[in-house]
Every structure is written in C-alpha cells, then in structure tokens.
Amino acid sequence: EDEQIVAEIMGRRFFPDHITHKTWEGFHFAGHEIRITEATDCYGAVVWPSALVLCYYLETNSKQCNLVDKNVIEIGAGTGLVSIVASLLGAFVTATDLPELLGNLQHNVLHNTKQKCKHQPCVKELSWGIDLEKNFPRSSCHFDYIMAADVVYHHPFLDELLLTFDHLCKNDTVILWAMKFRLEKENQFVDRFQTLFDLEMISDFPSLDITLYKAMRKGRMKA
C-alpha cells in the first residue's frame, strides 16, 4: 500500500519535454497544471517529496479538510507548491520564507494562482523566531491552518522554529506538517514539539521516510 500510494503521489510530478532557459518542474494537483521554477543553489528553492505528500493529502481529503475561505499560513514555503495548492482549493494563503527566497516564491505563487483562485495568496517574509509579534501580532492574526513541509532538518534554528509554531498557533489552529526523518535530531524535535502540542500521525510512508502529522495545542485535539 505504501509503494502504491507513493507511486501515485510522485506520479503527480512531470518535467518539460525539451530544454528550457529556466529550470522548472510540473505538478498536477487540484485540477491544475502547476509549474514551479526552482533554483539549485539553496535548499529552500527545490521541491522536496514532503511537499508532494502534503499536497496529495490536501487534495484527496478536501471534505475532511475543507480549505474554502480558511485562513492558512505556510512556514518555510520554499518554492510555494503547498501554498499554491491550498490557494487553488479555496483558502486565503500567506506563504512565508526567508527574504532571499521571496522573489522566486512570489513568481511561482503569482504565475500559478492569478485569476485561478477565490482568494489571491500573499507572500510575506518570516524568519523563524524574529519579530514575530511585530509582523504577526497575536491580537489580529488568526490562522485556521499552519502548514509545513520538510521544515525540520539538520540546522541550528530548531528552537526558533518551535517558537514560531507556538506564536502562530491559536487554540483552534490545526497544524499539518509533513516531515522527512533523516537524523536523530529530528526525533528530538518531535519530542520537544509534543510538550506544547498534541500530535496525531495521519499518514506514514516508510519508503520515503516521511510522516504526515496533524497537531493542535495540548488538550484541543479532541475538543
């Protein structure tokens, strides 16, 4: 079953049949052909399999996870694939990442959503743990969903990542988080994450070492 679903997920990706002056990959989600421009000089400008796993879940569970008119933020949006799919499914999306990635992110989001979505998504800078209250004040920012794909890996900003989850998450916010396990440090982050949030495994794909989680603040999952 794992191999069959993974094959279906990865089958949503396609490549140009001729050489182009820009490197791009294509994807079929939410009834649209999505073209993503990539850059090979940084991790955040490449589409990783975790993003495809999350997009596949959003599309195939649109009744249980109805995004129409929902307020969604994606952290570590990278190339923007997850934000684009959420937008095509009817959400109002804020796609965020580091300042050096915003140009490519903005290009992809605009190119794939203009005149196609109920709500035009926006792109905004978010450096984890920095100026959170200034840029995303708790009093006025309310997100129904926080989405994250492959944001946990071997880097020195895991404390800031957890702080960012904590700041953006209200009592009724749902976190959808696709994670690839590479090193022991990822497991340690999950343990720390669970001190603040209840965590439920939605899907597990051993062949990709990717797990898809749903999370809410402690005590809110069943409520």
Side-chain angles (χ1 to χ4, degrees):
E1 183 179 1
D2 168 54
E3 293 179 358
Q4 181 179 349
I5 296 176
V6 166
E8 185 175 346
I9 292 172
M10 302 309 290
R12 301 298 186 94
R13 168 185 267 157
F14 67 93
F15 299 92
D17 54 10
H18 58 277
I19 298 174
T20 60
H21 68 286
K22 284 189 176 181
T23 302
W24 63 270
E25 288 185 69
F27 303 88
H28 292 290
F29 286 108
H32 291 267
E33 179 181 293
I34 301 167
R35 292 193 177 189
I36 296 294
T37 300
E38 298 186 326
T40 57
D41 56 349
C42 57
Y43 289 120
V46 176
V47 178
W48 299 101
S50 293
L52 275 70
V53 167
L54 183 48
C55 289
Y56 181 82
Y57 173 80
L58 296 177
E59 180 189 76
T60 57
N61 293 273
S62 58
K63 290 185 178 180
Q64 303 96 310
C65 180
N66 185 357
L67 296 183
V68 177
D69 298 329
K70 296 298 193 299
N71 201 11
V72 172
I73 186 169
E74 184 186 4
I75 61 174
T79 58
L81 181 62
V82 172
S83 289
I84 291 164
V85 172
S87 297
L88 293 171
L89 291 171
F92 180 82
V93 177
T94 302
T96 71
D97 215 312
L98 297 170
E100 60 265 29
L101 298 175
L102 295 188
N104 189 58
L105 176 58
Q106 179 70 62
H107 167 79
N108 286 328
V109 168
L110 183 63
H111 177 75
N112 289 286
T113 62
K114 190 175 182 180
Q115 298 182 334
K116 299 177 183 178
C117 298
K118 184 175 183 180
H119 307 288
Q120 185 61 37
C122 68
V123 172
K124 191 171 181 178
E125 176 185 341
L126 174 54
S127 299
W128 298 338
I130 298 175
D131 293 331
L132 294 176
E133 183 58 30
K134 176 183 175 182
N135 297 323
F136 299 90
R138 289 180 184 269
S139 60
S140 58
C141 287
H142 182 282
F143 298 106
D144 299 295
Y145 289 92
I146 299 170
M147 297 188 183
D150 216 9
V151 294
V152 180
Y153 48 89
H154 187 62
H155 61 65
F157 302 111
L158 295 181
D159 290 343
E160 290 80 359
L161 174 59
L162 187 59
L163 182 65
T164 301
F165 273 124
D166 185 41
H167 179 85
L168 296 174
C169 190
K170 296 287 199 297
N171 283 341
D172 57 348
T173 302
V174 175
I175 299 171
L176 294 176
W177 168 27
M179 175 173 167
K180 182 176 178 66
F181 287 85
R182 300 177 178 88
L183 302 166
E184 181 58 30
K185 201 165 187 177
E186 276 85 73
N187 292 292
Q188 294 173 9
F189 181 84
V190 171
D191 291 340
R192 293 181 56 208
F193 184 88
Q194 290 184 95
T195 64
L196 298 176
F197 303 98
D198 288 325
L199 197 61
E200 174 187 341
M201 185 179 71
I202 299 175
S203 302
D204 186 41
F205 302 100
S207 62
L208 295 174
D209 292 323
I210 292 174
T211 302
L212 178 61
Y213 292 111
K214 172 184 176 182
M216 294 186 74
R217 283 207 173 275
K218 281 284 188 183
R220 302 298 301 182
M221 188 82 80
K222 293 181 181 180

